[in-house]
Short mmCIF file of all heavy atoms in Angstrom, two decimals:
data_model
loop_
_atom_site.label_atom_id
_atom_site.label_comp_id
_atom_site.label_asym_id
_atom_site.label_seq_id
_atom_site.Cartn_x
_atom_site.Cartn_y
_atom_site.Cartn_z
N THR O 1 11.57 3.73 1.75
CA THR O 1 10.72 4.93 1.52
C THR O 1 11.52 6.17 1.96
O THR O 1 11.21 6.76 2.94
CB THR O 1 9.37 4.72 2.28
OG1 THR O 1 8.91 3.43 2.02
CG2 THR O 1 8.31 5.70 1.78
N ASN O 2 12.46 6.51 1.14
CA ASN O 2 13.30 7.70 1.52
C ASN O 2 13.76 8.48 0.27
O ASN O 2 14.79 9.12 0.22
CB ASN O 2 14.50 7.23 2.34
CG ASN O 2 15.43 6.31 1.57
OD1 ASN O 2 15.15 5.94 0.38
ND2 ASN O 2 16.46 5.95 2.17
N GLU O 3 13.00 8.32 -0.85
CA GLU O 3 13.40 8.97 -2.15
C GLU O 3 12.89 10.37 -2.27
O GLU O 3 13.40 11.13 -3.09
CB GLU O 3 12.90 8.09 -3.27
CG GLU O 3 13.45 6.71 -3.32
CD GLU O 3 14.92 6.66 -3.69
OE1 GLU O 3 15.35 7.37 -4.53
OE2 GLU O 3 15.59 5.80 -3.07
N TRP O 4 11.84 10.75 -1.58
CA TRP O 4 11.22 12.00 -1.76
C TRP O 4 11.72 13.10 -0.84
O TRP O 4 12.05 12.84 0.34
CB TRP O 4 9.68 11.87 -1.49
CG TRP O 4 8.98 11.20 -2.59
CD1 TRP O 4 9.48 10.44 -3.65
CD2 TRP O 4 7.56 11.12 -2.73
NE1 TRP O 4 8.48 9.91 -4.38
CE2 TRP O 4 7.28 10.31 -3.86
CE3 TRP O 4 6.49 11.59 -1.95
CZ2 TRP O 4 6.02 9.97 -4.34
CZ3 TRP O 4 5.19 11.27 -2.40
CH2 TRP O 4 4.99 10.46 -3.50
N ASP O 5 11.88 14.31 -1.38
CA ASP O 5 12.25 15.47 -0.49
C ASP O 5 10.98 16.12 0.04
O ASP O 5 9.84 15.67 -0.30
CB ASP O 5 13.11 16.47 -1.24
CG ASP O 5 12.42 17.05 -2.51
OD1 ASP O 5 11.16 16.95 -2.60
OD2 ASP O 5 13.14 17.64 -3.36
N ALA O 6 11.09 17.12 0.86
CA ALA O 6 10.00 17.78 1.52
C ALA O 6 9.07 18.48 0.54
O ALA O 6 7.80 18.36 0.71
CB ALA O 6 10.45 18.90 2.50
N GLU O 7 9.49 18.92 -0.56
CA GLU O 7 8.69 19.48 -1.55
C GLU O 7 7.79 18.49 -2.20
O GLU O 7 6.46 18.71 -2.42
CB GLU O 7 9.50 20.21 -2.71
CG GLU O 7 8.77 20.93 -3.69
CD GLU O 7 9.63 21.64 -4.64
OE1 GLU O 7 10.66 22.21 -4.23
OE2 GLU O 7 9.23 21.76 -5.84
N LYS O 8 8.25 17.25 -2.46
CA LYS O 8 7.53 16.16 -3.09
C LYS O 8 6.41 15.70 -2.06
O LYS O 8 5.34 15.42 -2.49
CB LYS O 8 8.44 15.07 -3.62
CG LYS O 8 7.76 14.02 -4.29
CD LYS O 8 7.97 14.03 -5.79
CE LYS O 8 7.31 12.83 -6.42
NZ LYS O 8 7.37 12.82 -7.78
N VAL O 9 6.84 15.54 -0.82
CA VAL O 9 5.90 15.04 0.16
C VAL O 9 4.77 16.13 0.36
O VAL O 9 3.59 15.78 0.35
CB VAL O 9 6.59 14.81 1.51
CG1 VAL O 9 5.56 14.60 2.69
CG2 VAL O 9 7.49 13.65 1.43
N CYS O 10 5.08 17.43 0.37
CA CYS O 10 4.16 18.46 0.48
C CYS O 10 3.19 18.47 -0.72
O CYS O 10 1.96 18.65 -0.50
CB CYS O 10 4.74 19.82 0.79
SG CYS O 10 5.45 20.05 2.37
N SER O 11 3.73 18.32 -1.86
CA SER O 11 2.95 18.29 -3.09
C SER O 11 1.90 17.13 -3.11
O SER O 11 0.76 17.32 -3.46
CB SER O 11 3.88 18.21 -4.31
OG SER O 11 3.06 18.06 -5.50
N MET O 12 2.28 15.95 -2.57
CA MET O 12 1.45 14.85 -2.53
C MET O 12 0.27 15.09 -1.53
O MET O 12 -0.89 14.87 -1.77
CB MET O 12 2.22 13.63 -2.03
CG MET O 12 1.46 12.41 -1.71
SD MET O 12 0.47 11.78 -3.03
CE MET O 12 -0.90 11.10 -2.16
N ILE O 13 0.59 15.70 -0.36
CA ILE O 13 -0.40 16.01 0.65
C ILE O 13 -1.38 17.10 0.17
O ILE O 13 -2.57 16.97 0.26
CB ILE O 13 0.19 16.46 1.98
CG1 ILE O 13 1.05 15.27 2.58
CG2 ILE O 13 -0.81 17.06 2.95
CD1 ILE O 13 2.05 15.70 3.67
N GLU O 14 -0.84 18.08 -0.50
CA GLU O 14 -1.67 19.18 -1.12
C GLU O 14 -2.58 18.58 -2.17
O GLU O 14 -3.77 19.02 -2.25
CB GLU O 14 -0.79 20.26 -1.71
CG GLU O 14 -0.16 21.12 -0.71
CD GLU O 14 0.85 22.19 -1.28
OE1 GLU O 14 1.16 22.12 -2.53
OE2 GLU O 14 1.31 22.98 -0.47
N SER O 15 -2.07 17.69 -3.04
CA SER O 15 -2.94 17.04 -4.00
C SER O 15 -4.13 16.37 -3.36
O SER O 15 -5.31 16.45 -3.82
CB SER O 15 -2.21 16.03 -4.85
OG SER O 15 -1.24 16.72 -5.68
N PHE O 16 -3.84 15.66 -2.20
CA PHE O 16 -4.92 14.92 -1.50
C PHE O 16 -5.93 15.86 -1.02
O PHE O 16 -7.12 15.80 -1.10
CB PHE O 16 -4.33 14.05 -0.42
CG PHE O 16 -5.31 13.26 0.40
CD1 PHE O 16 -5.91 12.13 -0.08
CD2 PHE O 16 -5.60 13.83 1.65
CE1 PHE O 16 -6.83 11.51 0.72
CE2 PHE O 16 -6.46 13.16 2.43
CZ PHE O 16 -7.13 11.98 1.92
N VAL O 17 -5.41 16.93 -0.24
CA VAL O 17 -6.27 17.87 0.47
C VAL O 17 -7.14 18.67 -0.57
O VAL O 17 -8.30 18.94 -0.33
CB VAL O 17 -5.40 18.88 1.33
CG1 VAL O 17 -6.23 20.04 1.80
CG2 VAL O 17 -4.81 18.05 2.43
N ASN O 18 -6.56 18.93 -1.74
CA ASN O 18 -7.32 19.75 -2.73
C ASN O 18 -8.08 18.79 -3.70
O ASN O 18 -8.67 19.34 -4.68
CB ASN O 18 -6.31 20.55 -3.53
CG ASN O 18 -5.60 21.66 -2.83
OD1 ASN O 18 -6.21 22.16 -1.74
ND2 ASN O 18 -4.37 21.92 -3.09
N ASP O 19 -8.18 17.58 -3.33
CA ASP O 19 -9.03 16.54 -4.10
C ASP O 19 -8.64 16.56 -5.49
O ASP O 19 -9.52 16.33 -6.47
CB ASP O 19 -10.54 17.08 -3.96
CG ASP O 19 -11.49 15.96 -4.19
OD1 ASP O 19 -11.09 14.72 -4.02
OD2 ASP O 19 -12.61 16.13 -4.57
N GLU O 20 -7.34 16.56 -5.66
CA GLU O 20 -6.76 16.40 -7.01
C GLU O 20 -6.43 14.91 -7.23
O GLU O 20 -6.55 14.04 -6.34
CB GLU O 20 -5.45 17.20 -7.15
CG GLU O 20 -5.74 18.75 -7.03
CD GLU O 20 -4.42 19.50 -7.01
OE1 GLU O 20 -3.27 18.83 -7.08
OE2 GLU O 20 -4.54 20.69 -6.94
N LEU O 21 -6.12 14.61 -8.41
CA LEU O 21 -5.83 13.17 -8.83
C LEU O 21 -4.69 12.74 -8.17
O LEU O 21 -3.60 13.39 -8.07
CB LEU O 21 -5.55 13.05 -10.36
CG LEU O 21 -5.25 11.66 -10.84
CD1 LEU O 21 -6.37 10.73 -10.53
CD2 LEU O 21 -4.88 11.73 -12.24
N VAL O 22 -4.81 11.57 -7.44
CA VAL O 22 -3.69 10.89 -6.70
C VAL O 22 -3.65 9.52 -7.34
O VAL O 22 -4.65 8.84 -7.39
CB VAL O 22 -3.92 10.84 -5.18
CG1 VAL O 22 -2.84 9.98 -4.59
CG2 VAL O 22 -3.97 12.22 -4.54
N PRO O 23 -2.54 9.14 -7.98
CA PRO O 23 -2.43 7.87 -8.59
C PRO O 23 -2.85 6.66 -7.67
O PRO O 23 -2.65 6.79 -6.42
CB PRO O 23 -1.02 7.72 -8.99
CG PRO O 23 -0.46 9.15 -9.09
CD PRO O 23 -1.24 9.87 -8.07
N ALA O 24 -3.39 5.66 -8.28
CA ALA O 24 -3.81 4.53 -7.43
C ALA O 24 -2.72 3.92 -6.60
O ALA O 24 -1.52 3.97 -6.95
CB ALA O 24 -4.40 3.46 -8.36
N ILE O 25 -3.06 3.45 -5.49
CA ILE O 25 -2.22 2.72 -4.60
C ILE O 25 -2.66 1.17 -4.65
O ILE O 25 -3.88 0.92 -4.45
CB ILE O 25 -2.31 3.21 -3.15
CG1 ILE O 25 -1.78 4.62 -3.11
CG2 ILE O 25 -1.56 2.31 -2.22
CD1 ILE O 25 -1.99 5.38 -1.83
N ILE O 26 -1.79 0.36 -4.90
CA ILE O 26 -2.08 -1.02 -5.09
C ILE O 26 -1.73 -1.83 -3.85
O ILE O 26 -0.58 -1.86 -3.34
CB ILE O 26 -1.39 -1.68 -6.30
CG1 ILE O 26 -1.81 -0.99 -7.55
CG2 ILE O 26 -1.74 -3.14 -6.38
CD1 ILE O 26 -1.07 -1.32 -8.83
N LEU O 27 -2.82 -2.45 -3.22
CA LEU O 27 -2.62 -3.20 -1.98
C LEU O 27 -3.08 -4.66 -2.23
O LEU O 27 -3.86 -4.94 -3.06
CB LEU O 27 -3.58 -2.63 -0.91
CG LEU O 27 -3.38 -1.09 -0.61
CD1 LEU O 27 -4.45 -0.66 0.35
CD2 LEU O 27 -1.98 -0.88 -0.05
N TRP O 28 -2.45 -5.55 -1.38
CA TRP O 28 -2.84 -6.94 -1.47
C TRP O 28 -2.78 -7.51 -0.07
O TRP O 28 -1.87 -7.27 0.77
CB TRP O 28 -1.65 -7.71 -2.31
CG TRP O 28 -1.88 -9.22 -2.26
CD1 TRP O 28 -2.80 -9.93 -2.98
CD2 TRP O 28 -1.04 -10.15 -1.62
NE1 TRP O 28 -2.57 -11.23 -2.78
CE2 TRP O 28 -1.54 -11.42 -1.86
CE3 TRP O 28 0.09 -9.97 -0.70
CZ2 TRP O 28 -0.97 -12.53 -1.32
CZ3 TRP O 28 0.65 -11.13 -0.23
CH2 TRP O 28 0.11 -12.40 -0.52
N ARG O 29 -3.88 -8.21 0.22
CA ARG O 29 -4.04 -8.83 1.58
C ARG O 29 -3.66 -10.36 1.44
O ARG O 29 -4.13 -11.01 0.73
CB ARG O 29 -5.39 -8.72 2.15
CG ARG O 29 -5.50 -9.16 3.59
CD ARG O 29 -6.86 -9.02 4.20
NE ARG O 29 -7.89 -9.68 3.33
CZ ARG O 29 -9.11 -9.11 3.04
NH1 ARG O 29 -9.40 -7.90 3.46
NH2 ARG O 29 -9.94 -9.79 2.33
N ASN O 30 -2.61 -10.70 2.34
CA ASN O 30 -2.20 -12.09 2.34
C ASN O 30 -3.18 -12.96 3.18
O ASN O 30 -4.13 -12.38 3.80
CB ASN O 30 -0.72 -12.21 2.82
CG ASN O 30 -0.60 -12.11 4.28
OD1 ASN O 30 -1.46 -11.68 5.06
ND2 ASN O 30 0.60 -12.40 4.79
N GLN O 31 -2.99 -14.26 3.12
CA GLN O 31 -3.89 -15.08 3.91
C GLN O 31 -3.83 -14.91 5.43
O GLN O 31 -4.75 -15.27 6.15
CB GLN O 31 -3.67 -16.60 3.55
CG GLN O 31 -4.08 -16.87 2.13
CD GLN O 31 -3.84 -18.44 1.89
OE1 GLN O 31 -3.14 -19.16 2.53
NE2 GLN O 31 -4.46 -18.85 0.78
N GLY O 32 -2.69 -14.32 5.83
CA GLY O 32 -2.53 -14.11 7.25
C GLY O 32 -3.22 -12.79 7.76
O GLY O 32 -3.20 -12.53 9.02
N GLY O 33 -3.74 -12.01 6.88
CA GLY O 33 -4.44 -10.78 7.21
C GLY O 33 -3.72 -9.50 7.10
O GLY O 33 -4.26 -8.47 7.31
N TYR O 34 -2.46 -9.57 6.78
CA TYR O 34 -1.61 -8.32 6.55
C TYR O 34 -1.98 -7.77 5.18
O TYR O 34 -2.27 -8.46 4.19
CB TYR O 34 -0.20 -8.59 6.70
CG TYR O 34 0.30 -8.73 8.08
CD1 TYR O 34 0.52 -10.01 8.66
CD2 TYR O 34 0.46 -7.64 8.88
CE1 TYR O 34 0.90 -10.09 9.97
CE2 TYR O 34 0.86 -7.74 10.20
CZ TYR O 34 1.02 -8.93 10.79
OH TYR O 34 1.40 -9.05 12.08
N ILE O 35 -1.91 -6.46 5.19
CA ILE O 35 -2.15 -5.75 3.85
C ILE O 35 -0.82 -5.24 3.33
O ILE O 35 -0.15 -4.35 4.04
CB ILE O 35 -3.11 -4.63 4.08
CG1 ILE O 35 -4.39 -5.15 4.67
CG2 ILE O 35 -3.39 -3.70 2.83
CD1 ILE O 35 -5.34 -4.05 5.30
#
């Protein structure tokens, strides 16, 4: 997780704060309880 520069990170945070569309995050929980 080191591909984004500061501008891209800030843009993502601003999108979240401004209630804009943030693409889905796909999570999976294993049988051991980790996500």
Side-chain angles (χ1 to χ4, degrees):
T1 313
N2 63 0
E3 300 289 322
W4 288 10
D5 60 18
E7 185 175 323
K8 183 104 176 177
V9 170
C10 285
S11 177
M12 171 62 209
I13 294 166
E14 286 174 353
S15 293
F16 177 79
V17 169
N18 294 329
D19 205 23
E20 297 172 359
L21 178 65
V22 174
I25 295 170
I26 300 172
L27 305 172
W28 173 74
R29 186 176 57 222
N30 75 350
Q31 290 182 343
Y34 282 102
I35 303 164

